[in-house]
Amino acid sequence: MQTAADAGDAATLLAAVPAGRRVALVDPRFVGHVHALRLGLTDPRFPAATVPGALTAQPEARGALLRALHRTTAAVGAGAPVVEPDADPAPEDRTVPGRIAVALEAEGTAVQRPALGSLVAAVPTDPEQQAAAEAGLASIDDEAVRLRNAVKAHDGFFTTYCISPYSRYIARWCARRNLTPNQVTTASLITALIAAGSAATGTRGGYVAAGILLLVSFVLDCTDGQLARYSLQYSTMGAWLDATFDRAKEYAYYAGLAIGAVRGGDDVWTLALGAMVLQACRHVVDFSFNEANHDAVANTSPTAALSDKLDNVGWTVWVRRMIVLPIGERWAMIAVLTALTTPRIVFYALLVGCSLAACYTTAGRLLRSLTRRASRTDRAAQALADLADSGPLAQAVAKVAPGLPGAFTAPAVALLGTLVMIGGALFLPYGSPLTVAAAAVYVVLSGLAVARPLKGALDWLVPPFFRAAEYVTILVLAARSDVPHAVPAAFGLVSAVAYHHYDTVYRIRGGTGAPPQWLVRTIGGHEGRTALVAVLAAVLTHTSGFTTALTALAVAVALVVLVESIRFWVSSSAPAVHDEGELA
């Protein structure tokens, strides 16, 4: 830390700092809480950030910072006072850091201004302001504010009232021992895998241990995010781990329950795969709707207005959050039922609960979409096209086929293709060439559905329809094959494909776009994989070769997807995505 005599001296000192380092400017008269400075100067997610009297810039914003500082120096004079009360009506913009923040924004550099709430951050210019700032400083416990803000602003009932009241203190304990959020995330994963192993024993003691360990894993899952917010330790690696480990933990636990049930004489692999398919389809409905309306304008939906009103009534907020069965409530239900009942009952409860939740959320989104007058952007259309995961076959059809007119054509065609594919897999004789024909029809209809930009009111339904077609087809064909271990192999295949789809979502959310096209082509796209499984079922009818083929396909998809995903998320260009609102 160095002290500059004036704005000109500050520019000289900053120019001498190595280019790859983060820098900060703090007015020497700053009065405020340490955590206010921490929020303004240490969050790694933003190229530049400011609070009254202080400014920071990451290496990528250093050039813009120096240019802005030189302009400010020229405006006020290198040795002139840094405060000019009549120059700007905004007090935070009267200091050198404040002026530079305004100049950075004028140049096009985004400057984050964190909400401080009750925290004090000020640059007093007279004794009266000094006394007021010091009084505010003494009246607020910034550590209490820091702990309170470590908890996610919008969370489920179970998490808010049964986990966060003490997990925040675990987060502080971890911070004081220099533990990182990634270490806590890894501990949560390991705990969940041990829980899955306990469930796989198929004994009552194993089930009780599994339920307890699953809850411990969830406590750690909450703690890692709270630790990241408490200590402002956000990272791209943390974003990747946080985005993927929740699904890995839950689906590994489903597999553990299925293995344990088989050891007890009850084969529930089909139920386990069904629960995973339902949960993944629920998520893609959420993702598609949010991306379709991420930057929509002219939102005039009366349904959305009613929802906003209900969010202002305390008890309805919690009821609505519990109805959707978010991760806290879901894992609590799974843990308790595992300890007290059987895996079959656990999966029945999951299927019923998640089905009701899916109906509730999807109905609300349909109403919003049909009553909303909004213009959807090219970005939203591209996001939906990326979420559709169309492979070379569907893309070839889309290139040669004319776009079908009609506001609801794309989802209608996608739904028709889904019904043809699932209906063929479910009702045609197993192994019939007609199932392959149904897959061919599905390929054509998939291409027609994406032949035009997805900007219609209900076009966000296209990716969920495709997910349902692929996942349910794999489930049905594996279950109908009567081949040993075919459903567990299908579970592995759906897990690998679902990872690819979740990876796509979080890349889009980070603003870097979907995975590269070569990856989508290599793994075939949704229609290519669906058609391939239909062909395998027809060619390898009722033979162990079907299980082998599904396993090989699962391994191949997993290897390609994981290698590319790891390469991306550990690269310097990956975004630091930390979800503050997702309850799933």
Side-chain angles (χ1 to χ4, degrees), residues 25-33 37 50-55 82-85 90-99 116 120-134:
L25 282 172
V26 181
D27 194 293
R29 297 159 300 172
F30 176 86
V31 175
H33 288 101
L37 276 181
T50 187
V51 294
L55 171 75
V82 293
V83 178
E84 295 184 58
E92 64 270 22
D93 295 338
R94 296 172 186 167
T95 64
V96 168
R99 285 176 173 272
L116 299 180
V120 174
V123 179
T125 59
D126 56 49
E128 184 178 343
Q129 292 181 6
Q130 181 80 22
E134 290 177 351

Side-chain angles (χ1 to χ4, degrees), residues 158-181:
F158 178 77
T159 304
T160 299
Y161 291 104
C162 299
I163 304 296
S164 293
Y166 57 88
S167 62
R168 68 184 75 180
Y169 295 100
I170 301 175
R172 182 171 68 180
W173 182 90
C174 293
R176 291 177 176 176
R177 284 152 184 82
N178 296 319
L179 296 176
T180 67

